[in-house]
Amino acid sequence: GAVVSQHPSRVICKSGTSVKIECRSLDFQATTMFWYRQFPKKSLMLMATSNEGSKATYEQGVEKDKFLINHASLTLSTLTVTSAHPEDSSFYICSARDGFSGLYGYTFGSGTRLTVV
Amino acid sequence: AQSVTQLDSQVPVFEEAPVELRCNYSSSVSVYLFWYVQYPNQGLQLLLKYLSGSTLVKGINGFEAEFNKSQTSFHLRKPSVHISDTAEYFCAVSNSGNTGKLIFGQGTTLQVKP
């Protein structure tokens, strides 16, 4: 089945530094990737949608300059949290959608726990 | 705009008892509906999905859900739960548009007690 690999699973960084999270589709071409943020005991909040080769579409209220998304290939999308602050600490999850095979499904990565100290 | 409401934030149930997790959606267009399970500090695993066809959908781990268009519901059921079913469950909806964004409900914590 479809597999999405997300790295790192956990990262601790100092306030003011940047952190990059990678999301790879291992056995399918991800035409669309989604990035979510999940607060403790809360639901997933969609941050942005990215299509390969084009700019990401951000949801209302999400700072595009703080959360940089790159979807340079059909198998890789990255989320960079720039100048991270403690309030950016959260669980980030990516999801990839296969738009070619006709299978309408979303596959999720295992998530990244970001802690900013 | 689409939305999903999960009516119960927590559902405690004894092992081997049946369970129903409720989900209602709102949409003005055709929808695709999903149920996901999330274990602590992990991503989401698809339990089942409704795209079209039969309104009764069977998924993994003995779960099933029924799409009810008139009541705009997609409740998840399992006839007999196990301790290992303890987790967070999310209902989600996607439209048939180009972006196909997945919108999640608030989640329901299923607590299975021995």
Side-chain angles (χ1 to χ4, degrees):
Chain A
V3 176
V4 170
S5 175
Q6 185 174 343
H7 291 282
S9 58
R10 290 178 179 272
V11 58
I12 300 173
C13 71
K14 291 184 177 180
S15 186
T17 62
S18 295
V19 174
K20 181 183 285 188
I21 302 170
E22 291 190 348
C23 181
R24 294 180 183 273
S25 59
L26 298 185
D27 49 4
F28 67 99
Q29 294 181 317
T31 51
T32 307
M33 286 190 172
F34 306 88
W35 286 94
Y36 293 86
R37 181 173 180 175
Q38 186 177 32
F39 293 97
K41 301 195 181 298
K42 296 289 186 184
S43 185
L44 283 77
M45 179 192 77
L46 180 64
M47 299 173 66
T49 302
S50 71
N51 292 295
E52 182 266 338
S54 58
K55 290 184 178 180
T57 301
Y58 290 80
E59 295 298 304
Q60 192 171 9
V62 178
E63 299 177 62
K64 59 181 67 178
D65 293 331
K66 170 170 259 316
F67 299 100
L68 300 179
I69 291 171
N70 183 279
H71 192 167
S73 76
L74 284 170
T75 59
L76 175 64
S77 177
T78 60
L79 166 67
T80 301
V81 183
T82 63
S83 186
H85 291 286
E87 57 265 31
D88 298 324
S89 298
S90 194
F91 193 57
Y92 293 88
I93 306 176
C94 70
S95 173
R97 179 184 162 204
D98 179 355
F100 288 132
S101 72
L103 300 174
Y104 199 92
Y106 305 83
T107 303
F108 285 80
S110 54
T112 298
R113 173 75 59 193
L114 170 63
T115 304
V116 184
V117 297
Chain B
Q2 297 170 298
S3 67
V4 177
T5 301
Q6 291 182 243
L7 298 165
D8 307 294
S9 59
Q10 290 190 348
V11 173
V13 63
F14 286 106
E15 193 173 18
E16 297 184 4
V19 70
E20 178 179 80
L21 305 184
R22 296 181 292 170
C23 172
N24 285 89
Y25 68 91
S26 172
S27 176
S28 58
V29 297
S30 297
V31 296
Y32 301 147
L33 292 158
F34 304 79
W35 273 99
Y36 287 88
V37 60
Q38 184 181 33
Y39 299 100
N41 294 311
Q42 294 187 26
L44 276 66
Q45 180 182 10
L46 179 67
L47 284 175
L48 47 80
K49 61 187 175 186
Y50 172 78
L51 306 182
S52 65
S54 173
T55 57
L56 183 62
V57 181
K58 292 191 182 297
I60 63 171
N61 301 342
F63 284 94
E64 64 179 32
E66 185 157 18
F67 171 60
N68 188 318
K69 189 174 182 179
S70 63
Q71 296 186 6
T72 60
S73 69
F74 190 55
H75 300 334
L76 180 72
R77 296 190 291 259
K78 185 169 182 177
S80 177
V81 295
H82 301 290
I83 295 288
S84 59
D85 292 322
T86 296
E88 192 77 18
Y89 291 79
F90 292 98
C91 180
V93 63
S94 172
N95 63 20
S96 53
N98 291 335
T99 61
K101 293 191 297 186
L102 205 55
I103 306 299
F104 286 87
Q106 300 89 327
T108 297
T109 303
L110 176 62
Q111 284 180 308
V112 182
K113 304 176 182 179

